[in-house]
Amino acid sequence: MVHRRNDAMTGLRARAGLMALWTVMACGAAGNGDGGGGGSTPQEPGTQPAFGMAYTGDGTYYGATGGGACSYDPSPGNLMVAAMNAPQWQGSAVCGMCVEVVGPKGEANKIVIRIVDLCPECKTGDLDLSQEAFAKIADPVAGRVKINWQPVACGVSGALSYKFKDGSSQWWMGVQVRNSRLPVKKLELQEGGNWLALNPESYGYYTLSSPNGRPGPYTFRLTSLTDVQVVESGVMLSPNGVVAGSQQFP
């Protein structure tokens, strides 16, 4: 007997429809498979500092691939992923965030997952984990269990990177920040002495209607959820491509 979200089949059907819509809206995907944080292999708990509040909620599971509402590519080499509940989605600012999760199996079986998707029907504190992640913290037969979790920095290597959405040009751009140690809540473009805020979209990208009327190079200012800022210069426009940066959050 399985007790997943409505249990799981209703949630999976809802997400399937949403994912189809997001795929059309945001055809970019993570070429390195890490989805903007967390690396290509699972992160060891306790190796990175925690930040923000700790939460308690329900843990469930679904057939995650690493793709979803954040517009990342599937990551078959690392399925330690989860969908964030709708109240804490923050307009997709949590995409790529790493989270330490403890379930019924206790601290000895704590895991780190990456947020790659949205769980529309989940309540505050809930996480909908991949089947693989859920099995590490609880018996899958349980279907729904109590969990504790807290955001942690992602143990990424190298610099930030920038995925430009297909169709980006000097007249419109869509940009997704990837390989980030911390989740990004604000992305700005320098224009003269001013900073122009890009519009955060629900599918993991930031968009701007008139990026200086030129194809780059661009200077971006990134602000993390912890209010740390990084300035990245010399980013060239690459429609449907990923551009390597030179900066990283401390």
Side-chain angles (χ1 to χ4, degrees):
M1 184 168 58
V2 179
H3 303 282
R4 281 171 277 174
R5 292 182 288 107
N6 192 18
D7 243 338
M9 292 310 298
T10 299
L12 285 173
R13 283 195 293 269
R15 180 160 310 112
L18 286 165
M19 286 174 67
L21 173 61
W22 280 312
T23 300
V24 172
M25 293 173 66
C27 51
N32 58 10
D34 72 355
S40 59
T41 57
Q43 180 172 317
E44 287 295 321
T47 60
Q48 300 296 326
F51 63 89
M53 295 177 58
Y55 297 92
T56 298
D58 285 352
T60 51
Y61 66 91
Y62 73 110
T65 66
C70 291
S71 304
Y72 300 144
D73 273 347
S75 56
N78 179 4
L79 289 177
M80 292 297 101
V81 298
M84 178 61 75
N85 64 76
Q88 293 179 281
W89 178 243
Q90 298 189 56
S92 82
V94 296
C95 283
M97 183 170 72
C98 292
V99 176
E100 285 190 348
V101 185
V102 181
K105 290 186 178 181
E107 287 280 339
N109 292 284
K110 179 163 57 176
I111 60 172
V112 178
I113 55 90
R114 295 171 295 117
I115 301 300
V116 300
D117 204 355
L118 167 67
C119 179
E121 62 271 35
C122 291
K123 299 178 175 62
T124 299
D126 293 352
L127 293 177
D128 200 15
L129 300 135
S130 69
Q131 295 175 4
E132 293 80 359
F134 188 94
K136 289 183 178 295
I137 64 166
D139 184 344
V141 174
R144 181 185 295 273
V145 297
K146 287 299 179 185
I147 58 171
N148 298 307
W149 59 272
Q150 184 168 15
V152 296
C154 292
V156 298
S157 59
L160 296 156
S161 60
Y162 305 86
K163 165 72 184 203
F164 283 91
K165 201 173 183 304
D166 188 29
S168 293
S169 69
Q170 64 265 43
W171 310 117
W172 179 90
M173 71 162 61
V175 184
Q176 184 181 68
V177 180
R178 296 188 170 177
N179 200 49
S180 181
R181 182 169 162 77
L182 299 172
V184 176
K185 72 175 182 180
K186 190 175 185 180
L187 181 63
E188 299 167 285
L189 174 70
Q190 188 173 39
E191 185 171 335
N194 299 316
W195 292 99
L196 211 59
L198 279 71
N199 300 311
E201 304 292 353
S202 62
Y203 48 88
Y205 276 78
Y206 288 84
T207 62
L208 187 64
S209 294
S210 182
N212 297 331
R214 56 181 174 80
Y218 302 117
T219 295
F220 291 121
R221 183 167 68 182
L222 299 77
T223 305
S224 73
L225 280 179
T226 58
D227 291 321
V228 177
Q229 289 190 328
V230 166
V231 175
E232 183 83 75
S233 301
V235 180
M236 298 301 298
L237 177 67
S238 179
N240 204 32
V242 179
V243 179
S246 60
Q247 305 298 311
Q248 182 58 265
F249 288 107

